[in-house]
Amino acid sequence: MHRTIFFLASMGVSIFCFSQKEKAVKEYLPTENLEMRKDANKSSNRPKRKNYSFIYVPDANKILYGNPCVLEATHKMGFEYMVEPSNMNSSKTWKGKFLNNLWVKTKLVVTRSPFWKLILNRKIKKCRKMSGDLVG
């Protein structure tokens, strides 16, 4: 009985300490604000970060991996291509990649357009012409 009470009390104290530590760390970390008039450590001045979904592809053909223009276009749509060959030791299984890609592409059809792939291919072609990867 005493052990149970001691265990529950110690768990409560440790949870309280961890939440206080996370709050304290957030308060002391500066933001990326460069304006002199604004306080840098306010949470309202903290930059908004967006989590992007990944579409796994086996090779970098036709996606211009590393091109900043294409990266910006895919980020505007809410995803990013991830090149992951299937022969890597740490790669996902084919089933995991398939289900992930199915989920991300379905989300793109609903949020962007059923023609999201055509729109993206047009933007990639434009980026290729601007960067000199495509002639003609």
Side-chain angles (χ1 to χ4, degrees), residues 25-44:
V25 169
K26 265 189 175 179
E27 288 176 1
Y28 290 113
L29 285 178
T31 61
E32 298 169 3
N33 182 20
L34 298 176
E35 259 188 68
M36 295 295 287
R37 290 177 274 148
K38 290 186 178 178
D39 184 18
N41 290 324
K42 280 186 156 180
S43 62
S44 61

Side-chain angles (χ1 to χ4, degrees), residues 96-111:
K97 289 178 192 178
F98 174 76
L99 292 175
N100 178 66
N101 290 350
L102 181 67
W103 168 248
V104 173
K105 290 177 181 180
T106 304
K107 190 168 67 168
L108 286 170
V109 166
V110 172
T111 57

Side-chain angles (χ1 to χ4, degrees), residues 13-27:
V13 169
S14 64
I15 290 172
F16 177 75
C17 291
F18 284 130
S19 65
Q20 289 296 322
K21 185 177 181 180
E22 181 181 332
K23 185 177 179 184
V25 169
K26 265 189 175 179
E27 288 176 1

